[in-house]
Amino acid sequence: MEIKPNAENAPLEELQVAMEASPTKRGFIRLAVMRSLLLGVERSLLCQQFCCTDRVVRLWITVYN
């Protein structure tokens, strides 16, 4: 079973504001990945785009949820 971010944690608008306010590039990328997943972008594409592994993305999702 594929783990997915919980859309009830934050609306897309709040994620956008958090991305813009992120003090680090890494934080921005984590939030951008969560927002993209909520918008329906495939995880494998995000891993390629942001040069991270599926395991890292799963960890980010777990922490986000």
Side-chain angles (χ1 to χ4, degrees):
M1 186 172 124
E2 185 174 321
I3 185 170
K4 296 182 180 181
N6 185 352
E8 295 177 1
N9 287 339
L12 293 175
E13 297 81 21
E14 284 184 21
L15 278 174
Q16 183 68 38
V17 170
M19 286 168 55
E20 293 169 1
S22 179
T24 64
K25 182 179 176 181
R26 185 175 180 182
F28 178 89
I29 290 172
R30 281 195 310 261
L31 292 168
V33 168
M34 291 304 108
R35 187 171 187 279
S36 297
L37 287 169
L38 291 170
L39 287 170
V41 178
E42 293 203 25
R43 189 186 312 177
S44 60
L45 180 62
L46 292 171
C47 290
Q48 290 175 355
Q49 182 179 4
F50 291 106
C51 300
C52 59
T53 64
D54 187 67
R55 181 174 183 238
V56 169
V57 173
R58 284 193 321 262
L59 176 65
W60 290 346
I61 293 170
T62 301
V63 171
Y64 176 80
N65 286 342

